[in-house]
Amino acid sequence: MLSDSLSGAAVNAAVERPIIKAGDYLNKLTGEHIEYECRRKLDAGAREIVLDFGETELVNSIGISILLGIADVAAARGARIICSDVSEETIELFEMLGVTRHVTLA
């Protein structure tokens, strides 16, 4: 149940543009958790999902694969994935592997 202190606008923003932390290492385990949470948010009506990479130090190939799968599912539902606070090393990795064609960096 949502807090009574949240305004209606804040509740709508949280539903339409939820923020999910990517964790310190985006691998199979964390990727599957993020994928599950993204699907739940999309089912709840999210139009944009922010993946917060502020604490992420490593992203492996399985994490990239899962991220691309999440972006495909979001696009099919008319939503988009926004990756925030991405380190320079991870941005280079995303650019090299073409991830930036499927997600928005913020």
Side-chain angles (χ1 to χ4, degrees):
M1 177 150 199
L2 296 171
S3 167
D4 291 335
S5 64
L6 292 175
S7 71
V11 171
N12 287 338
V15 170
E16 294 178 8
R17 194 175 193 212
I19 299 171
I20 299 171
K21 291 191 177 279
D24 61 348
Y25 182 27
L26 181 53
N27 57 12
K28 183 177 189 291
L29 181 62
T30 55
E32 288 174 345
H33 174 72
I34 292 168
E35 181 179 31
Y36 172 77
E37 288 300 320
C38 285
R39 286 182 185 269
R40 275 187 352 110
K41 302 299 184 188
L42 290 168
D43 289 345
R47 307 296 301 149
E48 296 180 332
I49 297 175
V50 177
L51 294 180
D52 181 351
F53 282 81
E55 298 174 1
T56 306
E57 296 177 17
L58 277 171
V59 178
N60 73 8
S61 59
I62 295 174
I64 294 288
S65 176
I66 291 172
L67 181 58
L68 289 172
I70 293 167
D72 284 345
V73 169
R77 296 183 184 194
R80 68 182 185 143
I81 301 296
I82 301 168
C83 297
S84 70
D85 296 321
V86 184
S87 70
E88 288 298 321
E89 295 83 14
T90 302
I91 289 173
E92 289 178 19
L93 179 66
F94 283 4
E95 289 175 345
M96 183 174 61
L97 298 175
V99 174
T100 52
R101 289 183 297 208
H102 303 279
V103 302
T104 301
L105 297 178

